[in-house]
Amino acid sequence: MQHIKPIHVVGGGLAGSEAAWQIASAGVPVVLHEMRPVQSTDAHRTDRLAELVCSNSFRSDDWEYNAVGLLHEEMRRAGSLIMASGDVHKLPAGGALAVDRDAFAEEVTRRLSDHPLITIERTEVAGLPPHEWESVVVATGPLTSAALSSAIGELTGEADLAFFDAIAPVIHRDSVDTTIAWFQSRYDKAGPAGTGADYLNCPMNREEYEAFIDALIAGEKTSFKEWEASTPYFDGCLPIEVMAERGRDTLRYGPMKPVGLDDPRTGRWPYAVVQLRQDNALGTLWNMVGFQTKLKHAEQVRIFRMIPGLQDAEFARLGGLHRNTFLNSPKLLDAALRLKAAPHLRFAGQITGVEGYVESAAIGLLAGRFAAAERRGHPCPPPPNTTALGALIGHITGGHITADDDDSGARSFQPMNINYGLLPDIEKPSTDADGKRLKGKERGRARKRAVSVRALADIDAWLAEVSLPASA
């Protein structure tokens, strides 16, 4: 094999780890730069690659009827390191794919460290990468260093647009009162590694719920620095108290919805429910689902112990905030994720304007494949927009920038989770496989499945088209 110059990947999170794996799997050397532990962050606890700093859930694993489950399956077919490692260390979580966060990160770190074409350098890349690095994937995520953010801003002429993501608390399982809380998945649904009884459910009656809402709204919150004061939240990761402020029933129709959960003490759905999901393989730690928060730590302990079943809760980790930054990607990036102002730089992960673990890793997968194909001299067009991968990159690189009648200059491009709304529509089937006429919601579900079946056929065809030969 002729000598191939390495591709540099900056950032060892989910996107950077996936990009490095895809590049090396294509026979191209990689230098993966991760600043931890030389330079730590406010959110990370370890120096492991692909450390999960918020939830331990990759969300739904149902490829037939859920867009993120479809994205899971497309990534698996593309040889995703993140999905393979998640599958090895999955935990019971109803219809979701949740992972043991420590074992998962150890798995990713080991696989990358053992790969003969991957070199891991524990150094911070301050500012723009050196000019002699001819091909670079920047995957620095929501915690991009100030020096690099500033350098990117100077290069592109774009002001940063930032928002906050909030982290949910984790509770010691043996401190939960199971005479009140009970095990059940919503509608008893079992998912990967699940049994249908994968969540701990803490019920509330109306009086308890109203008192809890009052406490959330009145609780003392983390104060913002002056430069953070106007930073908006991403709606997919709102702090629990911010949701409470938007309306007293917001939580009952969001993370505290009681539907499909039968309190064994009454045989009925409660007025509201707080769910806990297993956070490690031992089952000793459970996280509060949807309970991201910016409450001060002492307030979290006080207020969350108002929840029935958590009156004696011991917290392994309390909630917190981290700042997120993303590019105006529709304007700045081309269809291969290259920075138009400096095409030797590609971007991947949350910095491109996707939201969610799996979405970030998916863009890392694509950036790695694009970079490797370019290095090897083989064309690699983006996946078709009928696939979840293609729809996601289409949102990033083809989304709108500002409204025509907006004279403020503010961007309207915002982070997005994968959803069926990003994929082209398909005619709703009118009958099922047995010829029975479908009605109402059944037709909607049949449409989702038809979109998913089409997507998997199209991703298989794309992968066959762009697969690289074993050697250069």
Side-chain angles (χ1 to χ4, degrees):
M1 181 187 296
Q2 68 183 40
H3 176 70
I4 304 177
K5 292 183 179 180
I7 295 172
H8 294 262
V9 176
V10 182
L14 292 171
S17 296
E18 186 65 66
W21 183 260
Q22 293 291 326
I23 293 166
S25 296
V28 178
V30 186
V31 181
L32 176 58
H33 303 266
E34 169 53 49
M35 68 180 185
R36 293 174 292 121
V38 176
Q39 178 67 41
S40 60
T41 76
D42 292 334
H44 290 92
R45 297 183 298 109
T46 76
D47 62 356
R48 298 186 191 105
L49 303 172
E51 179 183 339
L52 305 181
V53 299
C54 190
S55 168
N56 71 324
S57 175
F58 288 177
R59 312 193 326 273
S60 175
D61 201 47
D62 180 358
W63 72 262
E64 292 182 288
Y65 301 108
N66 190 286
V68 73
L70 173 61
L71 185 60
H72 289 181
E73 182 59 24
E74 290 185 12
M75 292 173 67
R76 288 185 178 108
R77 296 185 184 201
S80 167
L81 170 66
I82 296 304
M83 292 308 304
S85 300
D87 288 338
V88 170
H89 297 290
K90 59 190 175 185
L91 298 172
L97 173 60
V99 303
D100 182 317
R101 68 177 73 231
D102 291 330
F104 167 79
E106 287 175 359
E107 180 82 15
V108 173
T109 303
R110 179 187 62 78
R111 292 197 187 193
L112 290 170
S113 299
D114 290 348
H115 199 293
L117 289 179
I118 298 176
T119 301
I120 300 173
E121 292 193 357
R122 298 286 185 167
T123 55
E124 179 182 3
V125 178
L128 291 176
H131 290 295
E132 56 268 26
W133 294 2
E134 297 178 1
S135 180
V136 184
V137 176
V138 179
T140 46
L143 299 172
T144 298
S145 70
L148 183 53
S149 293
S150 176
I152 293 169
E154 291 179 10
L155 178 63
T156 62
E158 290 288 319
D160 284 343
L161 181 60
F163 59 90
F164 282 111
D165 279 344
I167 300 171
V170 173
I171 294 174
H172 289 281
R173 159 68 182 81
D174 59 8
S175 69
V176 179
D177 184 350
T178 52
T179 65
I180 298 174
W182 77 97
F183 289 93
Q184 186 186 5
S185 300
R186 206 175 299 279
Y187 296 110
D188 302 308
K189 183 175 181 179
T195 65
D198 304 323
Y199 291 80
L200 263 172
N201 302 282
C202 302
M204 284 186 178
N205 60 33
R206 181 166 189 162
E207 292 71 27
E208 290 163 339
Y209 176 80
E210 294 290 347
F212 182 68
I213 295 299
D214 289 338
L216 282 179
I217 294 172
E220 191 174 1
K221 282 82 173 177
T222 303
S223 59
F224 293 130
K225 297 181 177 66
E226 182 179 351
W227 56 269
E228 297 173 327
S230 61
T231 302
Y233 295 103
F234 169 59
D235 277 349
C237 202
L238 284 175
I240 193 78
E241 61 278 1
V242 172
M243 285 188 272
E245 290 168 354
R246 292 187 172 186
R248 298 193 68 84
D249 285 329
T250 300
L251 293 176
R252 289 187 61 240
Y253 292 95
M256 294 179 67
K257 62 185 177 184
V259 298
L261 298 168
D262 304 304
D263 187 339
R265 298 178 304 169
T266 65
R268 301 188 303 273
W269 295 355
Y271 189 75
V273 167
V274 174
Q275 288 195 301
L276 309 182
R277 180 177 54 228
Q278 188 175 335
D279 200 72
N280 66 344
L282 294 175
T284 56
L285 300 177
W286 291 63
N287 65 65
M288 300 179 70
V289 178
F291 265 60
Q292 305 83 229
T293 181
K294 65 188 180 82
L295 288 167
K296 288 193 171 182
H297 284 180
E299 289 288 76
Q300 291 181 45
V301 174
R302 179 181 68 84
I303 294 171
F304 294 156
R305 283 180 177 168
M306 294 173 63
I307 299 169
L310 301 185
Q311 62 272 11
D312 298 314
E314 296 295 332
F315 295 86
R317 182 190 70 192
L318 290 164
L321 289 172
H322 61 271
R323 187 173 183 266
N324 200 342
T325 302
F326 62 94
L327 297 170
N328 189 1
S329 295
K331 180 178 179 181
L332 300 179
L333 302 182
D334 68 14
L337 299 170
R338 290 174 297 207
L339 190 67
K340 295 175 184 178
H344 69 292
L345 298 179
R346 275 184 172 82
F347 285 82
Q350 280 188 277
I351 197 170
T352 65
V354 294
E355 180 59 26
Y357 288 152
V358 180
E359 290 88 339
S360 296
I363 299 304
L365 183 153
L366 290 170
R369 281 179 165 264
F370 293 155
E374 183 178 76
R375 191 57 119 196
R376 294 278 301 274
H378 291 266
C380 184
N385 67 350
T386 52
T387 66
L389 284 166
L392 204 56
I393 198 171
H395 166 71
I396 293 170
T397 61
H400 57 282
I401 302 168
T402 59
D404 293 338
D405 58 352
D406 184 359
D407 296 326
S408 68
R411 290 177 284 171
S412 55
F413 173 65
Q414 289 289 328
M416 180 68 74
N417 293 116
I418 186 64
N419 62 81
Y420 281 116
L422 296 181
L423 283 80
D425 205 355
I426 197 170
E427 186 177 352
K428 292 181 181 179
S430 58
T431 60
D432 63 16
D434 298 323
K436 181 182 177 181
R437 187 169 183 81
L438 297 172
K439 298 179 182 179
K441 292 182 179 180
E442 290 180 339
R443 289 196 70 190
R445 279 177 57 81
R447 174 196 166 274
K448 289 180 178 179
R449 190 179 190 284
V451 169
S452 294
V453 169
R454 177 186 65 183
L456 293 184
D458 289 350
I459 201 67
D460 285 343
W462 178 77
L463 288 169
E465 175 189 352
V466 301
S467 292
L468 293 171
S471 60

